[in-house]
Amino acid sequence: MNAEFFGYVAFFTFVGIAFAVSAIVTSWFLRPWRARGEKLTTYECGEEPIGTGWHRYNIRYYTFALLFLVFDVVGVFLLLFALIFRNAVKLGIGSFLFWQMLIFLTIVLIAWIYAWKKGNLEWV
Amino acid sequence: MYGLGPLLESLFKKIGVPTFWAEPLRAIIVSVVILAFIMVVVMVLLWLLRRFIAYMQSRLGPNRVGPEGILQPVADATKLLIKEDITPAAADKVMFSVAPVLIFLPAFLVYLVIPFGKGMVAKDFHMGIVFVLAVGGVTSIAIILAGWASNNKYSILGGMRSAAQLIAYEVPMVISLLGVVMLAGTFKMGGIVEAQSGGFWGILPRWFIFYQPIGFLVFFICVLAELGHLPFDLPEGESELVAGYNVEYSGMRFALFYLSEFSNAFAFSAIIVTLFLGGWKPPLAFIPDWYILSPIWFLSKVGVMVLLLMWLRASIVRTRIDQLLALGWKVLLPVALFNFLLTGGLMLV
């Protein structure tokens, strides 16, 4: 099952790349080639670009990014919980699992409130 | 047995294809059909978008090429194919070419798990919805790559905003899905559709939107951000960033960005329909779910969803990036978590 699916993924990846590349290559043969001089400069609405675009940017959502990593892992954990929950309810261990999850989420929520109070959920 | 899969199998048997080649042959046919489908859908969506928004803004929109301008996208595609494709002298040449290919890839891969009708799915994988989330994240990477490789200040800001957007919507998106996964007990797209069969009082269908209104709302907002659709089209932001991450792109490479944007719009509408609106199930519970009609139900539901997206596009203003982050982390995340706990609690009682 898995092997078959990833065979499909690999094949679709190949087809996707082949399509995109062949589209570019087709236009390669059809299009004009007259780019030189000013046409090749960086576009900044007619202004002469000053310096390059590659310099340091202030990533102002850096603290969000750190929290994002944590919460994404939490999300993966919750996905697995959600997957088995229906069967767990059927087997009668649903409330046990649910309380455990509630305790876990309380801890996560405390961390989230702490981050908020500390000002990490602000655009700095 | 229903489904195009068994139909194809019996066809293979009739022609006498060896069993070893049956699966690869199926993969080839399916991929070509999906590719053709994407082309047609994107052309229709392009035309629909321009006409629909034009009418909403008291304009006419393109109406010259073909009846009602329906051939306009064909003309546009041809034009883009024979347009000069400029790589700016300052750009990172290799990455500049890789980005448009990379952005098309997830847009195409998502179609692998979308059930278009009863048994009409390229490969119904048991991790279906997780696969969609994983592949959807690649789009952002491609946008960041395109922005950085262009070596243009506007594009880089667009790429940065795309990263910020990913950070804002991804977590609430995953958590808003949990309710659906809990109710269906599976990640499989086909299984989620099956879990929505039956109806209330024999009339209203048992769709998850009725069980998960909060989850639907959060997921819908997150999809708007995922698609970079108004009110969250910050990576493009025409009036601030010219065109954002694709300022420097022209010709066919620009066309690929455009193509994947519209193909994503269809794919994610289809995913909303699959998860919350009953997929290919008929809209009223007493209608038998005939195999022939299932893709028609599915496509009409997706059509409604796409029109809803376009309606929003024509009527809402853009948010600021810090507002999006605040919305994601201070509103959507707690609401999605509340929805998750509420669903769990209600399932217990």
Side-chain angles (χ1 to χ4, degrees):
Chain A
M1 182 66 203
N2 271 2
E4 201 177 291
F5 179 76
F6 285 107
Y8 265 83
V9 173
F11 181 71
F12 267 61
T13 308
F14 169 74
V15 172
I17 291 174
F19 172 79
V21 169
S22 66
I24 292 172
V25 169
T26 315
S27 98
W28 190 283
F29 291 113
L30 295 172
R31 67 193 170 89
W33 292 81
R34 285 190 292 273
R36 65 182 90 81
E38 297 215 300
K39 221 183 211 177
L40 292 174
T41 53
T42 303
Y43 177 76
E44 277 184 18
C45 309
E47 294 285 325
E48 290 270 328
I50 297 171
T52 151
W54 291 335
H55 55 79
R56 287 167 68 175
Y57 283 83
N58 183 4
I59 300 183
R60 311 178 70 156
Y61 47 85
Y62 179 69
T63 49
F64 285 99
L66 290 178
L67 276 175
F68 170 73
L69 280 182
V70 175
F71 274 85
D72 230 19
V73 177
V74 171
V76 172
F77 180 55
L78 292 184
L79 271 175
L80 295 177
F81 170 81
L83 183 63
I84 58 153
F85 191 67
R86 195 186 148 98
N87 275 333
V89 171
K90 268 185 202 154
L91 291 174
I93 51 168
S95 62
F96 172 65
L97 279 188
F98 185 72
W99 285 111
Q100 279 191 328
M101 183 46 75
L102 210 59
I103 292 166
F104 172 72
L105 277 185
T106 313
I107 298 168
V108 170
L109 275 178
I110 288 170
W112 174 72
I113 291 167
Y114 175 72
W116 191 342
K117 286 279 169 274
K118 210 166 168 254
N120 282 345
L121 295 186
E122 307 295 332
W123 183 261
V124 284
Chain B
M1 274 305 274
Y2 293 108
L4 287 187
L7 203 75
L8 214 59
E9 249 169 53
S10 61
L11 191 74
F12 285 164
K13 254 181 211 152
K14 245 178 217 163
I15 307 170
V17 180
T19 23
F20 177 74
W21 285 107
E23 201 61 37
L25 206 61
R26 180 177 180 273
I28 292 168
I29 292 170
V30 165
S31 65
V32 170
V33 167
I34 286 181
L35 210 53
F37 180 79
I38 291 177
M39 294 302 121
V40 173
V41 151
V42 167
M43 298 234 170
V44 172
L45 283 192
L46 266 170
W47 173 77
L48 201 64
L49 174 84
R50 295 178 67 181
R51 289 291 281 187
F52 188 76
I53 289 188
Y55 275 120
M56 289 197 82
Q57 298 168 338
S58 307
R59 296 183 286 118
L60 281 178
N63 61 353
R64 295 298 152 127
V65 193
E68 289 296 311
I70 191 123
L71 292 177
Q72 185 67 44
V74 182
D76 286 348
T78 319
K79 184 201 73 178
L80 281 172
L81 193 65
I82 56 175
K83 272 271 175 185
E84 186 161 20
D85 191 352
I86 295 163
T87 310
D92 182 332
K93 306 248 165 5
V94 179
M95 288 304 149
F96 192 77
S97 308
V98 167
V101 178
L102 191 62
I103 202 165
F104 178 71
L105 202 55
F108 179 54
L109 278 178
V110 168
Y111 284 81
L112 197 50
V113 290
I114 294 176
F116 289 95
K118 211 170 184 172
M120 289 181 208
V121 53
K123 196 77 215 169
D124 205 1
F125 182 40
H126 62 81
M127 292 289 277
I129 190 62
V130 183
F131 177 73
V132 169
L133 290 172
V135 165
V138 179
T139 310
S140 286
I141 295 171
I143 289 177
I144 297 164
L145 189 65
W148 186 257
S150 300
N151 193 2
N152 178 315
K153 285 154 200 137
Y154 294 123
S155 338
I156 295 177
L157 282 174
M160 295 290 186
R161 283 186 180 189
S162 174
Q165 205 157 329
L166 178 82
I167 286 166
Y169 73 74
E170 187 84 18
V171 174
M173 192 179 197
V174 171
I175 294 175
S176 64
L177 273 178
L178 294 173
V180 169
V181 175
M182 278 158 93
L183 287 173
T186 173
F187 291 145
K188 208 169 171 173
M189 300 292 255
I192 290 171
V193 175
E194 276 311 324
Q196 300 178 63
S197 41
F200 307 105
W201 316 295
I203 305 170
L204 266 181
R206 222 177 257 279
W207 292 349
F208 281 156
I209 186 173
F210 300 121
Y211 290 91
Q212 293 282 317
I214 307 171
F216 171 75
L217 211 62
V218 174
F219 189 75
F220 183 73
I221 294 171
C222 292
V223 163
L224 287 180
E226 157 98 34
L227 292 175
H229 229 282
L230 271 172
F232 307 123
D233 67 337
L234 297 151
E236 289 183 43
E238 296 94 345
S239 43
E240 316 149 28
L241 297 180
V242 194
Y245 59 90
N246 55 23
V247 179
E248 294 289 357
Y249 282 92
S250 51
M252 208 56 215
R253 281 185 279 195
F254 172 73
L256 282 175
F257 279 103
Y258 221 64
L259 178 69
S260 13
E261 193 184 320
F262 278 85
S263 140
N264 268 334
F266 180 87
F268 277 89
S269 306
I271 286 157
I272 293 178
V273 167
T274 309
L275 295 181
F276 291 100
L277 298 175
W280 40 262
K281 296 276 178 194
L284 290 171
F286 54 81
I287 304 173
D289 48 350
W290 284 318
Y291 166 65
I292 304 290
L293 284 180
S294 62
I296 296 172
W297 295 130
F298 178 78
L299 287 179
S300 41
K301 283 182 206 171
V302 177
V304 171
M305 213 63 226
V306 166
L307 282 180
L308 186 62
L309 288 181
M310 287 177 184
W311 183 10
L312 284 175
R313 198 166 171 146
S315 43
I316 289 187
V317 293
R318 187 180 306 131
T319 56
R320 283 199 323 257
I321 185 77
D322 60 318
Q323 287 172 335
L324 173 61
L325 279 164
L327 176 75
W329 283 93
K330 292 179 186 169
V331 182
L332 294 183
L333 177 67
V335 169
L337 275 176
F338 169 72
N339 177 57
F340 165 63
L341 289 177
L342 187 70
T343 313
L346 286 180
M347 274 174 81
L348 282 177
V349 270

